[in-house]
Amino acid sequence: MKRTAPLLIAATVGFIIIVSTFIPYTESWGEDSMIWFDILAAVAFVLGGGNLLKMNLKKVSERRPGWAYSAIIIAAFLITLTVGLLKVGTHPNEVFWNKPWSGDYIGEGSALWWIYEYLIYPLTSTMFAMLAFYIASAAFRAFRAKNMEASLLLGTAFIVLLGRTYAAIILTGWLPELAHDAEPSFFGQLWNGLRLEKLTETIMGVFNLAGSRAINIGIALGIASTSLKVLLGIDRSYLGTGED
Amino acid sequence: MRTARLRSLAIAAACWLGAIDVLAQDSTQPPEPPAPPSELQVRDRPSDNGQALLISWAASADDAPDGSPRVLEYWIFRRELGQAEWGEKILDSPAGTTAKTDDQKIKVGTQYEYRIVAVGVNEGVSEPAELLGGVGSVRQWFNVQKAWFGILLVVICGAVVYFIEAARGGKDLKVRKIAGLEAVDEAVGRATELGRSVLFINGIQDINDIQTIAGLTVLGNVARRTAEYDATLEVPTSRSLVMTTARETVQAAYLSAGRPDAYNENNIYYLTDEQFGFVASVTGRMVREKYAACFYMGAFYAESLILAETGNSIGAIQVAGTAMPSQLPFFVAACDYTLIGEEFFAASAYLSGEPHQMGSLKGQDFGKVVGAVLLLLGCGAATLASMAGSSDGALASLAAYIRDYILGSKGLFP
Amino acid sequence: MYEFLKTLDRRWVFLLMFLAVATPILLKVTFPEKPSAMVMDVFNAIENLPEGSKVLMAWDFDPASRGELEPMASAFTRHCAEKKLKMYYMALWPLAVPMIQDSIRILEREYPHLEYGKDYMNLGYKPGNEGVIKVVITNIRKLYTTDHYGTGVETIPMMNGVTSVQAMDLIVNVSAGDPGTKQWVQYVATPFKKRMVAGATGVQAPQLYPYIPEQLIGLLGAIKAAAEYEQAVINGYPHLAKIATAKEGLRRMGPQLVGHVLIVLLIILANVIYFIGRRRGDSR
């Protein structure tokens, strides 16, 4: 029963969504089932938050290695939760001047805005910016002209890397550009096509696009097949085992 | 010199006359209303639940795209058949656009009459164009526009089911070796030898993403191996629902491996939904715990490279699987093995080794054949038609049919 | 030297990258940009709309990708404001709300004659990812009964007659992932034949090229395209050249150039080390 119920729910909702694609009368059923998921996911926040608190409180109380990090997590979690739930607004409020902290709770100057502007924004930006460093180190380590295919990949990477910057103009800007209104001659097209920014466009728009489409077709078929197996209950491994 | 002076005088005179003209217009009477729109047509929107009527009209003669149109917008009014009053406008549409809109605030089975007016400067309203006699929406029971999509769905899913049944019936099906999945044993074995933990990250999307489900099927198999080898498995998640499902998956895997005592639910924990908050926490733990093996199976975004590079820096053996094409290059560069797209979805069938699951892979191959045939037919027909220079011959029609009907949404027949 | 380079600590690479990015920022190095054909397609899609057309501004990115996407979001906002289009902002990402507020601040500061509720409005964030798109395309009021500030949408003048996203003349989406451009194309632009342009991160852009030109009129991929689009908007509305923040994308092309050149040099260096090692018979 513990496994049959989820399978039944998955199958029913899945088939409702498929049917709602083809039968206009059932369109809203598909929408409703997706809203149910949102409600479930929202309730699950409580579960996740509870687990986060439990795990980190345990770590702090047992003074396990790295417990100070857990303490920071608990403090950050509780402060943000309190500020958000109590809707602590800006102060003073121009309309209700005698009610403290009752202004706009998400506008400039509010507690949530401070958390966003001075914590979340710089922290997430820092993490994203680290990609620049990791890309450099990964490229330094992984790109080797070991064989023909790798060499082609390397050459393509150089063209795209340079073609996406002003380096393209510096290096190949001297090649004649095709005039908009002129009837393009063979050589005109050739020279124009050899400009790095044009080569980049060709690589991205032709070779990369063709490869992407092939991978996407495979992925789409994989998704269809996996979804069907889940809906029909053939693949139950996500529930642990094949048994009920 | 003289010519220039004469020209200046002429310009000044023209400006003066123009100003007088403008003043005369402003001071005498309100601006004349624009010419009315015409040919108001209202029809049922096809392939819907009767929610909307399509309204189209011919633009007012004053709705000229010359930069100084006298029509600013069109106002549309509606009344139920039999009513006398038009009431407030129900829709407005800016001038100069496609001269059509949808009325979506209607009831199925009710007949309506429509009126449209062009509105100019200072809300000068034109004579109306009307559609009297009543028009109503009809509820369609099948979305004909998606007929071909339905046929392709039935054919491909039918092939998957057929091959699954054939495999159940004993048909021998072979699948090529997937190095990334063969490496699961090696990675878990190495973690056991080194006495370090195994890290499994199930992507950062919720349980409604099929990649998360596919990742969970791999997690079940990895968990069975860690249970057998007595290695520690850690699964941080970025979604609460994924955490609960992953706990079920791992617990069942430990049970089926005969090691329910080794299961520790605290090793499967929720961190945060926030993408980079999650990454910061996980990479911090990676550096401190020095995992021997890292698995990344699911939907990943920009964090893929941060995770894989950190894993590489601690010397972990890394296996990734994702259907996010944009992240595949990063995983390929930084991981030891990468399951690319469909290989990732094949993992469940491959690892389970169950013949009926293998059948689904054969069904996928059939889908590829269908796709390839359509591609060859479409591209071939379009190319030949272009070479022949005909835009309305049989080949061009075939290419157009494939594009607009089979792959598009124009329905079943032209 | 060979041994040092062969076992080069990645922190040296990090240091070089830091210098490559920081130097042009500090020296304020900029380069001229010429809008490409694709960028001009995006520009013309907005430029050719008549005054008063409705444009859905779907901002689906967060602070992490703000550096890459904010310049194009700002340029879209300025272009639509110059064209006097009606702008409807909405977000599928919770952290995209401040991004919308950034765009609205541009309107308040640089276009004070535009009025909230008449010329632009903020529908705000709704949870549900692509589920939100599927609902708003048929009935916007099922999810959005109020705007971001709690004002009933019935009382907002520019919501008059807007019952669904189908009422929009153009969809402008700036996205850093899912839900984002892919979902807007799949659930709105394709089935409902809505005109759409988009801006995406460099990593996401290749996945969206297959949608051009049928489902997407054009796409701005990464900061390079953002800089070109800024240039196109400045070419069309030269008075914007005086506003420093209207050239953020152009300003960021300096670090991009030096960073890319550094990566190319690093790859060449790594290959030189590799070939020397191979000639010497090193195992790796």
Side-chain angles (χ1 to χ4, degrees):
Chain A
M1 187 59 198
K2 203 178 164 191
R3 309 225 180 281
T4 312
L7 280 174
L8 270 176
I9 294 170
T12 312
V13 176
F15 283 112
I16 284 176
I17 291 174
I18 292 174
V19 165
S20 71
T21 309
F22 296 102
I23 300 175
Y25 184 71
T26 58
E27 248 171 36
S28 62
W29 301 1
E31 286 167 18
D32 289 342
S33 42
M34 275 178 279
I35 291 172
W36 293 342
F37 174 78
D38 294 339
I39 295 167
L40 272 177
V43 173
F45 270 121
V46 180
L47 200 70
N51 177 260
L52 185 83
L53 271 184
K54 184 185 138 193
M55 298 286 293
N56 287 289
L57 280 171
K58 208 170 159 193
K59 208 167 165 185
V60 172
S61 66
E62 289 171 6
R63 291 283 195 280
R64 277 192 282 171
W67 65 269
Y69 296 117
S70 295
I72 295 170
I73 289 175
I74 295 165
F77 177 72
L78 292 178
I79 290 169
T80 314
L81 190 72
T82 313
V83 164
L85 285 179
L86 298 180
K87 296 191 173 173
V88 179
T90 47
H91 181 77
N93 185 345
E94 285 170 13
V95 184
F96 304 102
W97 54 270
N98 55 346
K99 305 269 184 212
W101 314 109
S102 61
D104 183 9
Y105 67 94
I106 39 180
E108 197 168 329
S110 66
L112 265 182
W113 177 86
W114 271 78
I115 290 173
Y116 169 80
E117 197 68 21
Y118 296 111
L119 287 169
I120 295 175
Y121 175 37
L123 285 172
T124 52
S125 300
T126 305
M127 289 301 293
F128 194 74
M130 278 166 65
L131 276 173
F133 301 99
Y134 286 133
I135 279 174
S137 77
F140 183 67
R141 199 184 59 250
F143 270 121
R144 296 284 187 279
K146 286 179 181 168
N147 50 39
M148 188 62 187
E149 291 91 334
S151 308
L152 280 174
L153 194 68
L154 206 60
T156 314
F158 283 172
I159 293 170
V160 176
L161 274 168
L162 298 173
R164 290 259 164 125
T165 61
Y166 193 67
I169 307 293
I170 297 170
L171 293 171
T172 56
W174 52 272
L175 282 168
E177 203 172 0
L178 212 57
H180 278 295
D181 47 352
E183 184 67 31
S185 66
F186 172 75
F187 283 106
Q189 285 191 47
L190 180 73
W191 296 133
N192 184 56
L194 285 176
R195 288 169 71 99
L196 271 179
E197 72 273 22
K198 296 287 174 194
L199 273 176
T200 303
E201 276 177 27
T202 311
I203 288 167
M204 297 307 287
V206 179
F207 300 103
N208 177 66
L209 187 61
S212 278
R213 279 185 170 155
I215 290 177
N216 280 336
I217 289 172
I219 288 171
L221 288 166
I223 289 174
S225 164
T226 307
S227 307
L228 193 68
K229 283 192 291 179
V230 169
L231 293 187
L232 296 176
I234 293 165
D235 184 357
R236 303 172 181 195
S237 45
Y238 71 99
L239 292 173
T241 57
E243 299 106 40
D244 279 350
Chain B
M1 188 70 184
R2 201 172 157 191
T3 323
R5 191 175 296 160
L6 276 173
R7 194 182 293 149
S8 309
L9 278 170
I11 291 169
C15 291
W16 176 242
L17 286 171
I20 290 173
D21 189 34
V22 169
L23 282 172
Q25 274 184 16
D26 282 349
S27 58
T28 52
Q29 53 196 333
E32 209 171 289
S38 56
E39 294 172 38
L40 177 62
Q41 289 184 343
V42 181
R43 61 188 174 89
D44 178 43
R45 189 171 73 183
S47 296
D48 73 353
N49 191 29
Q51 304 123 306
L53 290 168
L54 301 176
I55 306 169
S56 61
W57 61 93
S60 155
D62 290 328
D63 182 0
D66 61 355
S68 56
R70 291 189 59 222
V71 178
L72 294 179
E73 58 184 351
Y74 295 94
W75 288 356
I76 297 164
F77 301 81
R78 177 189 63 204
R79 68 181 177 196
E80 285 186 20
L81 189 64
Q83 280 183 345
E85 294 300 318
W86 284 102
E88 291 282 302
K89 68 170 174 173
I90 54 152
L91 288 166
D92 53 41
S93 175
T97 49
T98 47
K100 63 180 182 186
T101 188
D102 291 7
D103 182 4
Q104 296 181 39
K105 278 190 171 174
I106 52 158
K107 287 179 271 183
V108 186
T110 307
Q111 296 288 304
Y112 297 99
E113 292 178 324
Y114 283 86
R115 161 184 275 193
I116 186 168
V117 293
V119 183
V121 284
N122 297 338
E123 301 215 336
V125 175
S126 74
E127 286 295 310
E130 292 180 345
L131 184 93
L132 304 175
V135 60
S137 66
V138 182
R139 175 176 285 162
Q140 279 89 21
W141 289 100
F142 184 73
N143 187 346
V144 186
Q145 291 175 343
K146 291 181 180 165
W148 267 110
F149 177 46
I151 291 168
L152 289 174
L153 187 80
V154 169
V155 167
I156 292 171
C157 290
V160 172
V161 173
Y162 167 77
F163 283 108
I164 286 172
E165 287 306 314
R168 272 187 179 146
K171 192 174 179 185
D172 189 28
L173 297 171
K174 285 202 169 48
V175 60
R176 72 175 163 85
K177 270 200 167 190
I178 300 176
L181 295 173
E182 293 288 315
V184 169
D185 278 356
E186 181 196 340
V188 177
R190 192 172 152 204
T192 315
E193 281 167 20
L194 295 171
R196 295 202 222 139
S197 309
V198 172
L199 176 76
F200 191 101
I201 301 179
N202 199 182
I204 61 160
Q205 288 296 83
D206 217 330
I207 198 76
N208 61 339
D209 191 308
I210 194 71
Q211 293 188 64
T212 309
I213 302 279
L216 282 170
T217 65
V218 182
L219 172 64
N221 285 281
V222 171
R224 204 168 299 139
R225 294 286 177 273
T226 55
E228 285 164 4
Y229 288 115
D230 201 17
T232 307
L233 172 68
E234 241 181 80
V235 188
T237 68
S238 79
R239 306 283 167 154
S240 316
L241 285 177
V242 178
M243 177 191 75
T244 41
T245 320
R247 280 181 172 174
E248 290 289 321
T249 308
V250 174
Q251 190 177 19
Y254 273 70
L255 196 67
S256 71
R259 295 293 317 276
D261 53 307
Y263 169 68
N264 180 3
E265 74 163 19
N266 289 338
N267 284 339
I268 301 151
Y269 50 89
Y270 167 80
L271 286 170
T272 168
D273 277 46
E274 220 294 306
Q275 180 187 20
F276 287 110
F278 177 75
V279 179
S281 178
V282 171
T283 48
R285 278 193 74 80
M286 281 165 106
V287 173
R288 289 194 296 275
E289 300 290 325
K290 302 231 174 333
Y291 300 104
C294 299
F295 292 90
Y296 314 108
M297 300 280 169
F300 291 91
Y301 295 87
E303 69 283 355
S304 62
L305 187 66
I306 301 178
L307 291 171
E309 270 294 289
T310 310
N312 185 283
S313 73
I314 58 168
I317 182 166
Q318 303 196 95
V319 185
T322 186
M324 305 299 289
S326 53
Q327 303 307 321
L328 283 169
F330 301 127
F331 277 139
V332 170
C335 292
D336 298 281
Y337 302 96
T338 306
L339 305 175
I340 298 173
E342 58 181 317
E343 284 182 339
F344 174 47
F345 292 111
S348 165
Y350 188 93
L351 288 168
S352 71
E354 294 164 6
H356 63 276
Q357 290 237 39
M358 298 284 197
S360 67
L361 300 183
K362 196 83 179 165
Q364 272 173 250
D365 288 346
F366 177 79
K368 277 190 211 166
V369 172
V370 172
V373 168
L374 280 174
L375 263 174
L376 286 174
L377 264 178
C379 293
T383 311
L384 289 173
S386 157
M387 283 165 72
S390 84
S391 58
D392 53 357
L395 286 170
S397 304
L398 174 65
Y401 184 77
I402 292 174
R403 189 187 61 232
D404 299 337
Y405 290 83
I406 300 182
L407 304 178
S409 57
K410 283 198 173 173
L412 207 50
F413 302 111
Chain C
M1 188 64 182
Y2 166 72
E3 286 304 322
F4 169 74
L5 288 173
K6 195 180 150 212
T7 54
L8 187 70
D9 192 314
R10 69 179 66 206
R11 281 171 290 190
W12 286 109
V13 177
F14 293 168
L15 178 67
L16 284 174
M17 183 49 89
F18 171 73
L19 292 174
V21 173
T23 313
I25 290 177
L26 294 173
L27 297 178
K28 295 183 176 164
V29 181
T30 55
F31 300 100
E33 288 295 335
K34 192 176 165 213
S36 66
M38 171 89 83
V39 169
M40 286 314 292
D41 287 344
V42 174
F43 177 81
N44 289 330
I46 294 176
E47 188 64 16
N48 293 339
L49 284 175
E51 186 182 320
S53 299
K54 301 180 181 82
V55 182
L56 181 75
M57 314 285 266
W59 279 190
D60 300 323
F61 63 102
D62 59 6
S65 41
R66 189 181 185 181
E68 196 172 4
L69 297 177
E70 198 190 26
M72 53 180 92
S74 304
F76 277 132
T77 297
R78 286 193 177 92
H79 193 184
C80 290
E82 293 290 343
K83 285 291 301 175
K84 298 190 178 71
L85 306 176
K86 290 186 192 301
M87 292 166 268
Y88 299 77
Y89 289 92
M90 68 172 278
L92 301 174
W93 294 31
L95 287 178
V97 174
M99 307 295 123
I100 293 178
Q101 282 164 340
D102 285 345
S103 295
I104 287 180
R105 260 195 288 277
I106 290 175
L107 296 173
E108 288 168 347
R109 209 171 38 228
E110 297 171 24
Y111 303 91
H113 57 283
L114 297 183
E115 209 177 311
Y116 184 86
K118 277 190 178 168
D119 302 298
Y120 63 92
M121 68 172 293
N122 180 2
L123 285 161
Y125 160 76
K126 281 278 177 263
N129 300 329
E130 61 264 41
V132 174
I133 304 178
K134 289 178 188 172
V135 175
V136 296
I137 190 59
T138 50
N139 187 353
I140 202 166
R141 283 154 206 241
K142 198 165 178 178
L143 282 179
Y144 287 100
T145 49
T146 64
D147 71 351
H148 179 66
Y149 309 103
T151 312
V153 291
E154 299 290 347
T155 63
I156 297 175
M158 63 189 285
M159 281 301 283
N160 174 31
V162 178
T163 50
S164 76
V165 167
Q166 291 177 57
M168 298 295 154
D169 298 299
L170 182 75
I171 291 155
V172 180
N173 177 240
V174 180
S175 106
D178 294 341
T181 306
K182 188 177 157 192
Q183 285 70 23
W184 281 105
V185 169
Q186 284 178 342
Y187 302 120
V188 177
T190 310
F192 293 91
K193 302 270 184 300
K194 295 310 295 181
R195 290 165 60 78
M196 179 172 168
V197 295
T201 57
V203 172
Q204 293 289 323
Q207 305 315 311
L208 303 172
Y209 285 127
Y211 298 129
I212 300 166
E214 295 288 327
Q215 292 125 304
L216 265 181
I217 299 169
L219 173 76
L220 303 182
I223 200 73
K224 162 89 171 151
E228 289 178 12
Y229 182 62
E230 280 181 354
Q231 190 61 58
V233 176
I234 288 171
N235 291 347
Y237 303 92
H239 64 94
L240 290 176
K242 290 179 207 139
I243 302 169
T245 52
K247 293 184 281 189
E248 272 299 311
L250 290 161
R251 202 171 60 83
R252 288 170 203 194
M253 283 309 291
Q256 170 123 332
L257 169 66
V258 186
H260 280 204
V261 170
L262 174 70
I263 291 177
V264 169
L265 294 176
L266 282 173
I267 295 173
I268 293 171
L269 176 68
N271 276 279
V272 170
I273 299 164
Y274 168 71
F275 283 110
I276 293 173
R278 210 158 73 162
R279 211 168 49 195
R280 288 186 181 182
D282 283 3
S283 60
R284 200 176 163 221

